[in-house]
Amino acid sequence: MSTDVKAAERRLGLWLCAPAAIFMILVAGWPILYSIWLSFNRYDLRFPQDQQWVGLENYQTVLTNEFWWTAFGVTVLITVVSVAIELVLGMGLAIVMHRTLVGRGLIRTVVLIPYGIVTVVAAFGWFYAWTPGTGWLAALLPDGSAPLTQQWPAILIIIGAEVWKTTPFMALLLLAGLALVPDELSRAAAMDGAGRWKRFVSITLPLMRPAIAVALLFRTLDAFRIYDNIYILTNGAQNTGSVSIITYTNLVSGLNLGIGSTMSVLIFITVAIIAFIFVTVFKTGTPGTEGRR
């Protein structure tokens, strides 16, 4: 009888969740399917009469194009460097916020301010700061310097803007993981003679592994789709464009739905691969599900 009741409750739960699940599949699935269909067609709104099925021709065009791979390399570089810096700085901020006894609420509020600012607004702030003649940071450079017009200085500024904006988010996720580490373990290790660095490496980091993996997953996926900062700071000039920038250029500015959709599908595939690697290789899962089959 008990088994029948539980089975009936499960069926009722599925029926109640079905409308929301179907709605989510339609809302999220239809744009993806339509982009995939467009990617197999020659579809340029400037020449609507020339629309036809071309199979994998658009993928061959994009994957053999130098601009795509340059943008892909810039995107990967910005993602890897910015996320690595954010992890180190975020861990430092999380430790400070966790151990602060006086003014803890004020410190957490101040730290989170950059993350609360709209990305476009923050990007304009950095743009004017590095603009010669008006920017306070540009004034620190020798006369004639214009870092936003040069590839590598511009990429470094973009990375700096990303780190400044999203390090508080990383710190917040790591702070949640740090709060789960029992203080008793650290005190017991200290009584056994383990120093702070030894306790951090041997106790804190292993126990924080799920939180670190989740933080890295979220920020890696977010950083790979970088758009706002590059659009405001350089608009992709001097080979600083990301895959999102050149996709927007082809899809919206260029009105080439076929090529633009192909780039969108490639970005979707790359993001799915990154998520798969984190979930399977690094065992990123919901806290508390480790060991379950």
Side-chain angles (χ1 to χ4, degrees):
M1 183 63 182
S2 177
T3 304
D4 294 338
V5 171
K6 289 182 178 179
E9 289 178 345
R10 281 198 296 270
R11 284 196 297 271
L12 177 61
L14 291 175
W15 279 110
L16 292 175
C17 294
I22 293 173
F23 181 75
M24 288 298 296
I25 291 174
L26 290 176
V27 171
W30 168 245
I32 295 174
L33 294 176
Y34 188 59
S35 294
I36 294 174
W37 181 79
L38 286 175
S39 69
F40 292 122
N41 287 269
R42 180 182 296 124
Y43 199 158
D44 193 327
L45 291 180
R46 295 170 300 175
F47 313 101
Q49 71 282 0
D50 193 30
Q51 179 184 350
Q52 65 176 3
W53 176 272
V54 295
L56 296 174
E57 183 179 314
N58 287 335
Y59 288 92
Q60 182 182 4
T61 301
V62 173
L63 293 176
T64 57
N65 188 281
E66 178 185 356
F67 290 104
W68 167 260
W69 288 112
T70 300
F72 191 86
V74 169
T75 306
V76 172
L77 175 66
I78 293 174
T79 300
V80 172
V81 175
S82 62
V83 172
I85 296 174
E86 289 167 20
L87 177 62
V88 176
L89 294 180
M91 182 64 77
L93 287 174
I95 293 174
V96 170
M97 289 188 291
H98 181 67
R99 294 185 176 178
T100 300
L101 299 178
V102 180
R104 177 178 295 183
L106 178 62
I107 292 176
R108 292 182 180 182
T109 302
V110 171
V111 168
L112 291 175
I113 285 177
Y115 190 66
I117 299 175
V118 177
T119 304
V120 174
V121 175
F124 269 115
W126 288 109
F127 174 77
Y128 289 118
W130 287 106
T131 300
T134 61
W136 62 277
L137 287 172
L140 302 176
L141 301 176
D143 292 339
S145 299
L148 290 176
T149 62
Q150 303 171 30
Q151 183 188 21
W152 286 109
I155 289 177
L156 292 177
I157 291 173
I158 292 170
I159 291 174
E162 276 285 293
V163 171
W164 182 84
K165 177 72 173 62
T166 53
T167 293
F169 176 71
M170 180 75 82
L172 200 62
L173 293 177
L174 296 177
L175 178 63
L178 200 59
L180 298 177
V181 179
D183 292 334
E184 292 78 7
L185 292 178
S186 293
R187 284 197 291 267
M191 293 179 65
D192 291 337
R196 290 187 177 183
W197 177 251
K198 181 68 174 177
R199 299 199 300 271
F200 179 72
V201 173
S202 303
I203 298 175
T204 304
L205 283 183
L207 293 176
M208 287 185 65
R209 188 181 63 81
I212 294 174
V214 170
L216 288 176
L217 172 62
F218 284 179
R219 272 303 299 142
T220 302
L221 296 181
D222 191 37
F224 188 81
R225 293 179 285 112
I226 180 174
Y227 177 84
D228 311 57
N229 277 320
I230 296 179
Y231 182 80
I232 299 299
L233 290 169
T234 65
N235 198 18
Q238 316 301 333
N239 287 330
T240 59
S242 65
V243 289
S244 297
I245 290 288
I246 65 169
T247 299
Y248 171 84
T249 302
N250 282 274
L251 194 60
V252 179
S253 302
L255 302 179
N256 194 331
L257 302 187
I259 294 296
S261 296
T262 302
M263 292 178 174
S264 299
V265 172
L266 291 174
I267 294 174
F268 173 76
I269 293 173
T270 306
V271 168
I273 291 174
I274 293 173
F276 177 80
I277 292 174
F278 271 93
V279 172
T280 58
V281 178
F282 295 104
K283 307 297 182 186
T284 305
T286 304
T289 60
E290 291 183 335
R292 294 183 182 177
R293 297 180 182 277

PDB file of all heavy atoms in Angstrom, residues 1-7 9:
ATOM      1  N   MET A   1       0.836  -1.211   0.000  1.00  0.00           N
ATOM      2  CA  MET A   1       0.000   0.000   0.000  1.00  0.00           C
ATOM      3  C   MET A   1       0.862   1.249   0.000  1.00  0.00           C
ATOM      4  O   MET A   1       0.651   2.198  -0.725  1.00  0.00           O
ATOM      5  CB  MET A   1      -0.918  -0.012   1.228  1.00  0.00           C
ATOM      6  CG  MET A   1      -1.875   1.171   1.292  1.00  0.00           C
ATOM      7  SD  MET A   1      -3.013   1.167  -0.120  1.00  0.00           S
ATOM      8  CE  MET A   1      -3.925   2.666   0.236  1.00  0.00           C
ATOM      9  N   SER A   2       1.896   1.210   0.866  1.00  0.00           N
ATOM     10  CA  SER A   2       2.812   2.348   0.956  1.00  0.00           C
ATOM     11  C   SER A   2       3.522   2.593  -0.365  1.00  0.00           C
ATOM     12  O   SER A   2       3.697   3.737  -0.784  1.00  0.00           O
ATOM     13  CB  SER A   2       3.824   2.088   2.072  1.00  0.00           C
ATOM     14  OG  SER A   2       4.752   3.132   2.129  1.00  0.00           O
ATOM     15  N   THR A   3       3.920   1.488  -1.039  1.00  0.00           N
ATOM     16  CA  THR A   3       4.592   1.626  -2.336  1.00  0.00           C
ATOM     17  C   THR A   3       3.660   2.238  -3.374  1.00  0.00           C
ATOM     18  O   THR A   3       4.066   3.094  -4.168  1.00  0.00           O
ATOM     19  CB  THR A   3       5.068   0.247  -2.828  1.00  0.00           C
ATOM     20  OG1 THR A   3       5.907  -0.325  -1.837  1.00  0.00           O
ATOM     21  CG2 THR A   3       5.832   0.385  -4.130  1.00  0.00           C
ATOM     22  N   ASP A   4       2.383   1.827  -3.368  1.00  0.00           N
ATOM     23  CA  ASP A   4       1.421   2.392  -4.314  1.00  0.00           C
ATOM     24  C   ASP A   4       1.206   3.880  -4.089  1.00  0.00           C
ATOM     25  O   ASP A   4       1.094   4.660  -5.042  1.00  0.00           O
ATOM     26  CB  ASP A   4       0.086   1.660  -4.193  1.00  0.00           C
ATOM     27  CG  ASP A   4       0.189   0.202  -4.627  1.00  0.00           C
ATOM     28  OD1 ASP A   4       1.139  -0.102  -5.384  1.00  0.00           O
ATOM     29  OD2 ASP A   4      -0.658  -0.605  -4.199  1.00  0.00           O
ATOM     30  N   VAL A   5       1.176   4.267  -2.805  1.00  0.00           N
ATOM     31  CA  VAL A   5       0.985   5.695  -2.493  1.00  0.00           C
ATOM     32  C   VAL A   5       2.169   6.517  -2.992  1.00  0.00           C
ATOM     33  O   VAL A   5       2.006   7.590  -3.595  1.00  0.00           O
ATOM     34  CB  VAL A   5       0.798   5.881  -0.975  1.00  0.00           C
ATOM     35  CG1 VAL A   5       0.833   7.368  -0.623  1.00  0.00           C
ATOM     36  CG2 VAL A   5      -0.507   5.256  -0.527  1.00  0.00           C
ATOM     37  N   LYS A   6       3.374   5.985  -2.773  1.00  0.00           N
ATOM     38  CA  LYS A   6       4.569   6.707  -3.228  1.00  0.00           C
ATOM     39  C   LYS A   6       4.607   6.804  -4.743  1.00  0.00           C
ATOM     40  O   LYS A   6       4.977   7.836  -5.320  1.00  0.00           O
ATOM     41  CB  LYS A   6       5.827   6.007  -2.714  1.00  0.00           C
ATOM     42  CG  LYS A   6       6.037   6.145  -1.210  1.00  0.00           C
ATOM     43  CD  LYS A   6       7.321   5.475  -0.771  1.00  0.00           C
ATOM     44  CE  LYS A   6       7.535   5.654   0.728  1.00  0.00           C
ATOM     45  NZ  LYS A   6       8.780   4.983   1.189  1.00  0.00           N
ATOM     46  N   ALA A   7       4.212   5.707  -5.419  1.00  0.00           N
ATOM     47  CA  ALA A   7       4.188   5.743  -6.887  1.00  0.00           C
ATOM     48  C   ALA A   7       3.167   6.753  -7.378  1.00  0.00           C
ATOM     49  O   ALA A   7       3.417   7.494  -8.343  1.00  0.00           O
ATOM     50  CB  ALA A   7       3.882   4.351  -7.430  1.00  0.00           C
ATOM     51  N   GLU A   9       2.201   9.427  -5.767  1.00  0.00           N
ATOM     52  CA  GLU A   9       2.735  10.768  -5.497  1.00  0.00           C
ATOM     53  C   GLU A   9       3.763  11.171  -6.548  1.00  0.00           C
ATOM     54  O   GLU A   9       3.815  12.324  -6.977  1.00  0.00           O
ATOM     55  CB  GLU A   9       3.359  10.798  -4.100  1.00  0.00           C
ATOM     56  CG  GLU A   9       2.335  10.731  -2.970  1.00  0.00           C
ATOM     57  CD  GLU A   9       2.996  10.724  -1.608  1.00  0.00           C
ATOM     58  OE1 GLU A   9       4.230  10.487  -1.567  1.00  0.00           O
ATOM     59  OE2 GLU A   9       2.298  10.936  -0.604  1.00  0.00           O
TER      60      GLU A   9
END
